Each structure stands twice: as C-alpha cells, then as structure tokens.
Amino acid sequence: MAGLMAGYGHYTHAVVRGIPASLAKEALRSSQTEVDLAKAVKEHEAYVEVLRTRLGLEVVELPADESLPDCVFVEDAAVVCGDTALITRPGAESRRGETEAMKGALKDLNLNIVEMTDENATLDGGDVLFTGREFFVGLSKRTNQRGAEILADAFKDYAVSTVPVLDGLHLKSFCSMGGPGLIVIGSSEPAQKALKVFEKLKDHMLIPVSNLEKVKVDGALTCCSVLINKKANI
Ligand code: CIR
C-alpha cells in the first residue's frame, strides 16, 4: 500500500462559489423543509471567512449562477489530489453545467486538468473519500462504476475501492476524514459522534460553523469548497 501522501491534510487554496437565489426553491433535495435564503447566504459567508481568516487559505470565489441552483456545492464538480484535478460528470443532469466555471478556476491555479467526458460515467465529488493513501468511491444514486474507473485512471498512484451507498445522498454524507489515518463514520447521531472523535485529537482546533440552511438541501460543509495544496506542486 502507498504511504501517506506528502502534505496530506494541508491546503493553501480553496475554491468556493456563491449561493444563487434559485437555491431556495430549485436546489435538489430529499426533504421539503423550507430554506431561508438570507440565512443560507450569511452562513455561507461565515464559512468562507473561516477558510480565509482562520485557516489562512487563499480563497477563489466563483460567482453564483442563477441557472445552477446547486452551484454552491462545489465539491461535487471536481476532485483535486496533488497537482491533478479531475473535472467530474455530476450524476444529476441539472448540475452538469457547474463544472465549466470550476474547470476554469482550477486551470488558473495551474493544475493538470482531466475531464470525465464518457457519457456512461457519472461521479459526484461527495462520493469520493481520499484517505491520503487510497480512494474510496461511493456507488450511489449519483456515482457509477464507470465514474469510479475514470477516477482510478486519473489518480494512478492510489488504489481505488468502491463502497455501496444504499441510503442517503453521497458516501461523505455519513463519513469523512477526521485527520490522517482517521475516517469518521456517522451513526444515528452522526454529528455528536464525530465531535467526540475530534475532541480526542489534541492538535486539532474545533471551529464551529453553522450549516442549518444548506443542510436542508442536503449540503454538508465539505461540499462547499474544493481544497488545494499548491505547495506540493512546486
Ligand atoms: C444535491 O442534491 O445535489 C444538492 N442539493 C446537495 C449536494 C451536496 N453535495 C455534497 O455534499 N457533496
């Protein structure tokens, strides 16, 4: 098995995107809870501010696009590992247009762009968990086997395993990386459980960020930024 990727968990840049007004009524969602748009915008601004000032990342902010109600969830449009960016083919047709602006931003950051053009492939970044040693790709409503194969081809240095996602939207709807070598997996009380694990990691800070509105349209925190480590590319 490959060792832990150099610089794993360290980032210099984040790509984010604004919230279009169309999110409130038109974003894809599994429940019908009403979204407070103003609150969602405020929460998102606070989130971006944490990336910029608390985490010290250089933030590239893409403008919202009203014709793309889910465009704030940038994680689904690209998978970045080292100096390679895989531009995905999102599973939901209404989200396919989101990749264009993301591709431009990642090109401007001088990453090597690989595009998923195969019409039989679908993949959302929310289904991709990178541990620093290997990839796990959730096979879900949004991501299929062909998508996972193309990801494996794009990141040949790493093993890729698929995981069936039987419930929920994405693989990372119920798990995420808690730190190098630590996968945090939710249960019936996912947030509380994750919190307990994080509290054990002495070197990690806890920065509370509210996400009450975007979660109503199935958006989690990781889905609102694409993180990049440019130092690893020099
Ligand atoms: C969707 O259903 O596609 C959006 N409303 C939410 C996407 C969230 N993406 C993510 O967690 N990676």
Side-chain angles (χ1 to χ4, degrees):
M1 191 167 61
L4 192 70
M5 173 205 219
Y8 178 70
H10 294 270
Y11 301 102
T12 58
H13 292 67
V15 180
V16 300
R17 195 162 188 178
I19 295 189
S22 56
L23 172 129
K25 296 267 179 291
E26 294 164 43
L28 302 171
R29 70 199 71 197
S30 52
S31 84
Q32 288 313 312
T33 331
E34 207 168 301
V35 176
D36 180 329
L37 184 67
K39 226 168 160 183
V41 170
K42 258 190 135 169
E43 281 183 341
H44 191 57
E45 282 169 3
Y47 167 82
V48 172
E49 213 35 39
V50 166
L51 296 178
R52 202 189 321 267
T53 58
R54 301 289 304 271
L55 304 185
L57 301 178
E58 193 158 313
V59 176
V60 177
E61 273 191 278
L62 302 174
D65 182 331
E66 283 303 328
S67 70
L68 298 169
D70 283 297
C71 67
V72 66
F73 303 118
V74 289
E75 172 184 57
D76 296 320
V79 176
V80 177
C81 181
D83 56 6
T84 299
L86 173 67
I87 308 300
T88 66
R89 187 166 182 276
E93 224 175 314
S94 66
R95 300 198 57 193
R96 302 253 161 90
E98 294 175 28
T99 56
E100 221 29 58
M102 177 57 70
K103 184 170 75 180
L106 297 177
K107 250 188 197 162
D108 289 347
L109 287 169
N110 289 323
L111 296 174
N112 300 320
I113 307 290
V114 179
E115 286 185 72
M116 191 173 277
T117 49
D118 186 332
E119 288 186 3
N120 294 314
T122 60
L123 183 128
D124 279 12
D127 278 315
V128 180
L129 184 75
F130 181 55
T131 66
R133 290 191 169 83
E134 75 249 282
F135 283 96
F136 291 100
V137 177
L139 299 182
S140 67
K141 290 180 202 88
R142 301 286 176 85
T143 297
N144 66 16
Q145 181 71 31
R146 186 74 195 113
E149 284 167 13
I150 293 173
L151 180 134
D153 221 46
F155 301 109
K156 288 200 178 68
D157 291 345
Y158 298 98
V160 177
S161 309
T162 55
V163 184
V165 175
L166 305 172
D167 211 15
L169 181 58
H170 291 130
L171 175 64
K172 286 190 287 186
S173 302
F174 58 82
C175 70
S176 197
M177 290 307 293
L182 181 69
I183 300 175
V184 182
I185 302 179
S187 69
S188 52
E189 296 166 314
Q192 283 309 305
K193 290 218 159 173
L195 190 65
K196 278 195 185 122
V197 176
F198 280 117
E199 276 166 356
K200 286 185 195 142
L201 292 169
K202 291 194 192 72
D203 295 341
H204 287 63
M205 294 183 285
L206 285 176
I207 305 175
V209 177
S210 167
N211 192 47
L212 293 169
E213 295 307 311
K214 285 178 285 179
V215 82
K216 293 178 185 168
V217 287
D218 300 329
L221 277 184
T222 63
C223 63
C224 294
S225 52
V226 168
L227 303 176
I228 298 146
N229 186 3
K230 284 280 289 176
K231 280 183 198 134
N233 313 332
I234 298 168

